[in-house]
Amino acid sequence: AYWNYRPLTRVCVEYGRCEEAQFVFTGNGVLPQDIDCACGKGVFVCWGDPGVYLVLLIFILHGTLTGLVVKLLSSVHRALADTFSLLLIYFVGDPMVNGTTLQDMALNATALIL
């Protein structure tokens, strides 16, 4: 949330947290001497990370394509496409990335129902 203080760099997240405007080291490893961990808050904190712009671009493209599908077809088609993408992630992506199996029939049936 933009109103909470948080570390300004990704490296500092591993070593501690922010309490108000002060960075507090939690003892997770040894903090390198050359890193200055500062805290900040606001809507545009950490927008220097290129990953933020990549995610923003993906969200914009998703919204635009969703609008085109609804305009050309219907909201029912959009709902079916969203459901299909979730099923694809569960039944194809998860076994490929995490090496899980699809042997649990109760879990598979729950995924199909939802």
Side-chain angles (χ1 to χ4, degrees), residues 12-19 23-29 31:
C12 293
V13 173
E14 300 173 12
Y15 295 109
R17 65 182 187 283
C18 291
E19 290 182 4
F23 182 78
V24 177
F25 178 69
T26 59
N28 298 336
L31 185 64

Side-chain angles (χ1 to χ4, degrees), residues 37-68:
C37 293
C39 297
K41 69 177 182 176
V43 177
F44 297 107
V45 169
C46 300
W47 273 68
D49 186 6
V52 173
Y53 294 103
L54 177 65
V55 170
L56 181 63
L57 178 68
I58 290 170
F59 284 163
I60 290 171
L61 288 174
H62 179 266
T64 303
L65 291 175
T66 300
L68 288 174

Side-chain angles (χ1 to χ4, degrees), residues 1-100:
Y2 66 89
W3 54 85
N4 292 331
Y5 282 97
R6 56 193 179 272
L8 297 179
T9 59
R10 192 177 293 181
V11 174
C12 293
V13 173
E14 300 173 12
Y15 295 109
R17 65 182 187 283
C18 291
E19 290 182 4
E20 292 303 315
Q22 297 296 323
F23 182 78
V24 177
F25 178 69
T26 59
N28 298 336
V30 178
L31 185 64
Q33 296 296 325
D34 59 341
I35 295 178
D36 180 31
C37 293
C39 297
K41 69 177 182 176
V43 177
F44 297 107
V45 169
C46 300
W47 273 68
D49 186 6
V52 173
Y53 294 103
L54 177 65
V55 170
L56 181 63
L57 178 68
I58 290 170
F59 284 163
I60 290 171
L61 288 174
H62 179 266
T64 303
L65 291 175
T66 300
L68 288 174
V69 167
V70 170
K71 184 176 178 182
L72 293 175
L73 301 172
S74 72
S75 60
V76 174
H77 287 92
R78 184 222 182 225
L80 288 173
D82 282 346
T83 304
F84 179 73
S85 66
L86 289 174
L87 290 175
L88 191 65
I89 289 170
Y90 178 76
F91 287 110
V92 177
D94 191 40
M96 283 178 28
V97 173
N98 296 326
T100 57

